[in-house]
Structures are given as C-alpha cells and as structure tokens.
Amino acid sequence: MFGDLKVELLANKYRPTKLSEVIGQTHLIGKGKILSNLVKNKKMYSIILYGKPGIGKTSIASAIAKELDIPTRFFNATINNKSDFDVAIEEAKMYGQLIIVIDEIHRMNKDKQDLLLPYIESGLLILIGLTTSNPYHKINPAIRSRCQIFELHELTIEEIISGLKKIAKNENVLVTDEAFNFMATSSSGDFRSAINLLDIAISCSENKEITLDLLKTINSKPVFFFDKNEDGHYDVLSALQKSIRGSDVDASLHYLARLIEAEDLDSIYRRLSVIAYEDIGLANPSIGPKVMAAINAAELVGLPEARIPLATLVCEMALSPKSNSAHVALDLALNDIRTGNTGNVPDHIKTNSKTYKYPPNYPNSWVKQQYLPDKIKNKKYYTPRHNKYEDNLYYGLESIKKNKTN
C-alpha cells in the first residue's frame, strides 16, 4: 500500500555537485581560494571542516568528491562500526584511493582512529571530517595532526535567500519576498533548515504559492543553533556570562531568552550561580542568595512564568558592580600550595594552643597576631577591587589595624 510513496527532500535533491554551486563559504571555495584550487589542480589532502549545522560542510565534501571523481564513502563516527571501516580500507586498496567523509568526527573512538591512521598517513584514504565542534578542543591530536583544518562561516541572510530563490525557481514555485525573508531569518544561518521549511511549505500550499501567512502556520518558532551536547550550547552560556560580566543588560537578556526558548532551565541555574560568585562576588555579596531565591521561584512556578524571576535577576546581575577579587586571591594561594611555597602552621594558632589571642575578647574583634606560616608571613593574596562594599570592608579593617597597638 505504501510502495508508491516516494519522498525526495529538496535538501538532497539540490545538494551541490560542484563547489561553484555551494552557497557561501567564498573564503574557501571562491575564485582562486584554497579548496577551489585543490580541486582545479586535481589534488586533495585530508581535511576537517567545522562550523555550525546547515552551512555547507556535507555539501562541500560531496562536491569535492564528485568533482575529483574519486570513489567516496560517507560515514558517521557514532553509527558506523569498525567493520564498516575495514570494508572501506579494502575498497581503497581495490580502487587505489578512497575518500571517506566522516560526520561527527569528534566522536570517533580510539579503536577506529588507530585503524584508519596509517592509511590516512599513506594517502590511501583521504579523510574529510565534518564537525560542529572546535577541532582544536574536541578532536584527537593524532587525527588532527594529519589534516588541514578549515572553519566554515555562518551564512548571511542574503546568501540563504539567494539559495532559496534558485530552488524555488527550479521548482516553479512563487514565493513572496516576505516569505523568503522569513525562511532565511527563522533558520538562524542554517540553510538546510530553511530548505526544509520551503519543502514543507510547497507541499502544504495551494497552486505552489508561498506566503508569509502560510509559513507562520508551519513554523511559528524560530530555529537557532543550540545543541545541548556541543559547542552551540556552551557558546550561548558563555555569551550570557560574558554579557553579564560586561554589564550589557540587553545582551544578557537576549542570551537568557535563547536559553529559555530552548527550555534549558538547569543550565541557566548552574551558570547564574557561577556568575554570582565568579564575576560579581564581593561587589554585591547579596547576589548569591538572590540567585537561589530566583531559582526556587522559577522552579516553583515553572515555564512560562519562570522567565519573570530570571529576567529580574539577570537584569540586576548585569547592572551590578563586578569583582573577582575573592577567587583570584584563592587561585594565588592555591598556586603557592601546589608549588610548595608553604610552611608550618604557627604554634599559637594550632589546636589547644595556650598562647592564642581570641579576637572577640578585644575591641573591634581584632588583635595583632601572625596567622600565616613564617615562610610566607608577609604574603598578600587579596587585592580589593574598588567598589563600595569591598572598600568599606577592606579599608575599614585597615583603619582598625592602623590604630591598634595590641
């Protein structure tokens, strides 16, 4: 009953067969650029292409293989097993050379790497690795050292619209300018996502006419690059923290909104808890309890209302003065411990010492006595950042010390 049902996705139907057909990435495949020249000169070496989803990694790999007319096999590092690669090696020996395109190459385990490495090194296998992760952080050095690494850039709105117009023309579809713009902007740089939206819209349309109203009935929620297991997730969290640290309240709210839209409350809670102490710290010490209060409120009410206490908190965090003095001071102390720059605990502050002076027994709860070991007794780890709270704490104590003689 279902034998006659055939669905060919537009993204596959219009996958480029030549580098000149690839949308964007002109820094790599434009006239006179490195990948174009390699193909023109009928040369290819093992490479890694990295960048966000839907910006052309697979398309470039496929186009390179077709233009060079070298036998090619496509793999996924997590799905294909060692025996699949054994077969590819035997094919390479039969053909004299084989291109292997490996998606999610950062997930390739050591057994598979050890199997492929000598053949990649000899040139029998030409590896084209694809990844959304930064290869300098996520890919094993053994693979990385045998490949040239190229970063793909995010596509512009204009580039995506240009690509969509070519497909629409070939499919004899009438698309309004508003609809083109919506497909491009809602995809957040993911050309494949934009093509898929066009594909569905064509199937849902009457007389192959695509309007903005039609698209909104299909996709009312914008897509943006967000993968909880990969760099996109951490990029958004990093951007949130750096925006709060930089006191940009608008950017802070933007990245908070992206995380809320993805309904990733756990990551929000963890990151805001870190920011409270790493970036704001002693400049506004009440922020730590406020973070916990906002988290508790968000958990109590759930989404969508959870956004309200979180927005209030993030605004205060962004507008708050900043200080990293406490953890910077601790890191200096840790460095001394790890490098052996320590000493014995002074006798008068050891357990059950008879010579210890108990500060609460003295005016202002301070009495002059040595606490650091003799070897580092004059060491200074803590340097206050100039903000109202720290200045009051630090210089108030310094004033007490200066006026005390006991």
Side-chain angles (χ1 to χ4, degrees), residues 250-314:
D250 297 304
S252 301
L253 289 168
H254 171 79
Y255 293 113
L256 175 66
R258 291 176 72 159
L259 291 161
I260 287 175
E261 188 70 4
E263 300 184 1
D264 188 19
L265 292 179
D266 286 342
S267 291
I268 295 172
Y269 299 159
R270 287 193 294 270
R271 188 54 65 109
L272 293 181
S273 297
V274 170
I275 296 169
Y277 295 97
E278 180 181 353
D279 298 305
I280 298 173
L282 287 173
N284 181 4
S286 67
I287 203 68
K290 288 181 179 180
V291 168
M292 295 312 300
I295 290 173
N296 289 335
E299 281 292 277
L300 180 65
V301 300
L303 287 170
E305 288 83 0
R307 77 192 191 284
I308 299 169
L310 292 174
T312 303
L313 174 66
V314 164

Side-chain angles (χ1 to χ4, degrees), residues 8-282:
E8 183 181 16
L9 298 176
L10 289 182
N12 294 330
K13 182 178 179 180
Y14 290 101
R15 187 173 295 283
T17 58
K18 297 183 290 184
L19 286 178
S20 60
E21 295 173 353
V22 175
I23 298 297
Q25 313 311 331
T26 54
H27 64 297
L28 296 177
I29 59 174
K31 185 177 180 180
K33 299 302 180 180
I34 185 166
L35 293 183
S36 297
N37 284 346
L38 283 172
V39 170
K40 179 181 178 182
N41 295 327
K42 300 297 179 183
K43 293 282 187 179
M44 185 48 58
Y45 303 90
S46 290
I47 62 174
I48 294 172
L49 304 175
Y50 81 100
K52 295 182 177 181
I55 60 175
K57 297 185 295 295
T58 304
S59 293
I60 289 175
S62 179
I64 287 173
K66 288 184 181 297
E67 288 203 73
L68 290 177
D69 196 26
I70 297 175
T72 304
R73 295 292 176 265
F74 288 81
F75 299 98
N76 184 291
T78 57
I79 297 172
N80 292 104
N81 56 38
K82 197 173 176 180
S83 63
D84 295 326
F85 291 105
D86 282 327
V87 172
I89 291 168
E90 293 306 311
E91 286 189 80
K93 291 176 181 177
M94 181 176 65
Y95 292 124
Q97 198 171 50
L98 183 75
I99 292 176
I100 54 170
V101 181
I102 304 180
D103 199 9
E104 296 190 88
I105 191 171
H106 59 284
R107 296 182 182 273
M108 178 174 282
N109 64 34
K110 190 174 185 300
D111 286 347
K112 295 174 187 175
Q113 291 180 33
D114 290 344
L115 175 67
L116 297 177
L117 280 174
Y119 302 103
I120 293 171
E121 196 156 18
S122 70
L124 183 67
L125 293 177
I126 298 174
L127 169 66
I128 302 181
L130 313 178
T131 178
T132 56
S133 295
N134 188 326
Y136 297 102
H137 298 158
K138 298 291 182 71
I139 293 180
N140 189 300
I143 288 284
R144 200 173 64 226
S145 66
R146 290 163 174 80
C147 300
Q148 297 300 312
I149 298 174
F150 300 107
E151 180 180 7
L152 274 64
H153 295 167
E154 189 169 347
L155 298 178
T156 65
I157 298 297
E158 291 74 18
E159 287 170 337
I160 293 175
I161 289 175
S162 173
L164 291 174
K165 284 184 174 180
K166 290 178 182 178
I167 294 173
K169 182 178 180 180
N170 288 335
E171 292 293 310
N172 195 27
V173 178
L174 179 63
V175 184
T176 67
D177 289 341
E178 285 182 327
F180 275 127
N181 189 65
F182 180 86
M183 286 186 284
T185 55
S186 66
S187 69
S188 293
D190 185 334
F191 186 41
R192 182 174 52 235
S193 173
I195 295 174
N196 289 342
L197 180 54
L198 174 62
D199 201 351
I200 295 171
I202 292 173
S203 299
C204 296
S205 66
E206 293 184 12
N207 304 319
K208 288 192 173 184
E209 293 184 2
I210 311 299
T211 65
L212 179 59
D213 288 339
L214 172 63
L215 292 174
K216 285 184 175 180
T217 64
I218 300 169
N219 180 29
S220 60
K221 195 171 186 177
V223 176
F224 56 86
F225 179 57
F226 189 94
D227 179 345
K228 290 187 178 182
N229 296 316
E230 300 302 339
D231 287 347
H233 170 62
Y234 295 107
D235 285 344
V236 175
L237 288 170
S238 175
L240 172 65
Q241 181 164 8
K242 289 183 173 73
S243 299
I244 291 175
R245 182 186 296 153
S247 300
D248 189 324
V249 66
D250 297 304
S252 301
L253 289 168
H254 171 79
Y255 293 113
L256 175 66
R258 291 176 72 159
L259 291 161
I260 287 175
E261 188 70 4
E263 300 184 1
D264 188 19
L265 292 179
D266 286 342
S267 291
I268 295 172
Y269 299 159
R270 287 193 294 270
R271 188 54 65 109
L272 293 181
S273 297
V274 170
I275 296 169
Y277 295 97
E278 180 181 353
D279 298 305
I280 298 173
L282 287 173

